[in-house]
Amino acid sequence: EVATFRSGQVQTAKSGVIVRDNCYGNLEDDVVRRDFNINALYYDIHKHEVIDYVGGLKDLEAREIHIIGEAKLRFSEDPVRMIRAVRFGEKLGAELSDEVKNCILDQAPLLSNISPARLYEECIKLFHNEYSFEVYEQLEKYGLLKHLFKQTHKNDFIKKALLNTAARIKQNKPVTPAFLFAVFLWQAQNERFVMIKKKQRSFYLAMTQASEEVIINQIKQVSLPKWLTARIKDIWIMQSKLEKMHPKKVDDLLQNPRFRMAYDFLLLRSQSINPELEDVAKFWTKAQQ
């Protein structure tokens, strides 16, 4: 990625959020447009030295995260900086300054001013890493999580899934956002399904309606591409098929392109919120051998 230096000229909406700040400036101008001291370090390719105007190197050494300027103003300009602060803190093993902590607790609702499309990209950065569970806990601690996933409440299933994602990344194994989103929204989908099933006799129609409603509610906060929502629904609908263990359908399910994700989903459920599915998980583990 190549970026030019930005000047101090910005345009903001009534909410205070910056809507335009791409006016060309110089290095000195650009420094004050950065969010945190640790993100305002520059490298001179001719002198082979780091240029540090704001004490970023000192903060890195001390493992501290300080914001450039007044935290309240900087977070109102771009509320995404709050979740970036949390992510950087866990990535670097750094402590947020008291000013940053207090302002996040106070200004977390400002995340609602950010477009769902942008928050989708930020969520990928938040959870597709080796410290995803720690990030999740910090988002919850600072009141940020509910402004990203209001239908999600922490449980052992989510913890297992996040730790599993971190382990896969450490092992250079592939991960997909569809899996984590399916985990985050599973409880809400289940609760909605139970309510709908009281009036809708068809299991499939009730499952489909519950899935649609939960996803529609989610994309009001964090946008989800259509390909991703399709995979989420596949994972959910396959759970009941896997649980039934019909001998005649084993081969067809094993050949399903979504089988592996659905199986991993079932396996983590059996290891956390649904221990009664342990034998089912063993059945499908053996079926793959």
Side-chain angles (χ1 to χ4, degrees), residues 253-269:
L253 287 171
L254 288 173
Q255 296 302 315
N256 190 303
R258 303 286 177 258
F259 170 79
R260 186 66 203 193
M261 281 197 296
Y263 162 75
D264 287 343
F265 195 90
L266 176 75
L267 183 62
L268 292 180
R269 286 174 59 206

Side-chain angles (χ1 to χ4, degrees), residues 27-87:
L27 191 152
E28 289 76 10
D29 293 329
D30 193 67
V31 169
V32 297
R33 294 299 314 136
R34 297 290 166 181
D35 45 16
F36 307 105
N37 291 355
I38 59 170
N39 263 356
L41 298 173
Y42 302 81
Y43 186 73
D44 189 321
I45 61 174
H46 299 294
K47 296 181 179 179
H48 302 290
E49 63 182 21
V50 175
I51 302 172
D52 180 8
Y53 286 100
V54 292
L57 289 174
K58 179 182 177 182
D59 282 357
L60 280 175
E61 185 175 350
R63 294 190 180 277
E64 296 177 351
I65 293 180
H66 295 269
I67 200 162
I68 297 173
E70 182 187 354
K72 184 176 181 180
L73 173 62
R74 301 312 303 280
F75 287 151
S76 65
E77 288 178 338
D78 186 2
V80 168
R81 288 170 178 156
M82 293 185 285
I83 57 179
R84 283 166 58 83
V86 168
R87 178 162 60 87

Side-chain angles (χ1 to χ4, degrees), residues 118-136:
R118 184 181 177 196
L119 288 179
Y120 168 72
E121 296 298 332
E122 291 297 328
C123 282
I124 302 303
K125 297 175 185 177
L126 285 172
F127 300 117
H128 275 193
N129 52 59
E130 298 178 7
Y131 41 89
S132 54
F133 179 64
E134 290 78 7
V135 166
Y136 182 96

Side-chain angles (χ1 to χ4, degrees), residues 10 33 106 176 213 236:
V10 299
R33 294 299 314 136
D106 184 54
T176 171
E213 290 183 8
W236 288 344

Side-chain angles (χ1 to χ4, degrees), residues 57-250:
L57 289 174
K58 179 182 177 182
D59 282 357
L60 280 175
E61 185 175 350
R63 294 190 180 277
E64 296 177 351
I65 293 180
H66 295 269
I67 200 162
I68 297 173
E70 182 187 354
K72 184 176 181 180
L73 173 62
R74 301 312 303 280
F75 287 151
S76 65
E77 288 178 338
D78 186 2
V80 168
R81 288 170 178 156
M82 293 185 285
I83 57 179
R84 283 166 58 83
V86 168
R87 178 162 60 87
F88 288 142
E90 294 308 314
K91 180 179 181 179
L92 301 173
E95 183 76 13
L96 305 185
S97 71
D98 289 341
E99 181 189 18
V100 169
K101 290 178 182 177
N102 293 333
C103 279
I104 291 177
L105 288 169
D106 184 54
Q107 294 182 277
L110 292 180
L111 272 180
S112 301
N113 296 330
I114 302 302
S115 72
R118 184 181 177 196
L119 288 179
Y120 168 72
E121 296 298 332
E122 291 297 328
C123 282
I124 302 303
K125 297 175 185 177
L126 285 172
F127 300 117
H128 275 193
N129 52 59
E130 298 178 7
Y131 41 89
S132 54
F133 179 64
E134 290 78 7
V135 166
Y136 182 96
E137 287 193 309
Q138 291 301 304
L139 291 173
E140 190 173 51
K141 172 183 175 181
Y142 288 110
L144 294 165
L145 185 68
K146 61 186 177 183
H147 299 291
L148 298 171
F149 301 96
K150 66 181 179 181
Q151 302 175 98
T152 299
H153 304 286
K154 187 170 71 174
N155 55 42
D156 287 341
F157 184 32
I158 291 175
K159 180 178 180 179
K160 276 276 187 183
L162 289 169
L163 292 176
N164 180 67
T165 295
R168 290 182 65 86
I169 290 173
K170 288 179 182 178
Q171 298 166 17
N172 293 318
K173 292 182 178 180
V175 295
T176 171
F179 189 85
L180 278 182
F181 275 93
V183 171
F184 286 176
L185 300 173
W186 176 243
Q187 182 178 344
Q189 196 276 351
N190 270 226
E191 292 172 355
R192 190 66 193 129
F193 169 77
V194 171
M195 295 297 295
I196 295 172
K197 193 65 176 65
K198 293 177 180 178
K199 300 179 180 179
Q200 172 58 259
R201 297 182 64 181
S202 168
F203 174 90
Y204 179 78
L205 291 178
M207 193 73 174
T208 300
Q209 183 179 340
S211 299
E212 287 288 347
E213 290 183 8
V214 168
I215 287 173
I216 287 173
N217 284 333
Q218 180 56 48
I219 61 178
K220 293 175 183 177
Q221 290 186 293
V222 178
S223 181
L224 306 178
K226 287 186 177 180
W227 67 265
L228 189 144
T229 60
R231 292 186 183 181
I232 290 174
K233 293 173 187 175
D234 287 344
I235 292 172
W236 288 344
I237 200 69
M238 283 187 69
Q239 295 308 294
S240 62
K241 296 179 180 179
L242 294 178
E243 289 175 28
K244 292 175 182 176
M245 298 183 291
H246 285 313
K248 294 182 179 180
K249 296 184 178 181
V250 170

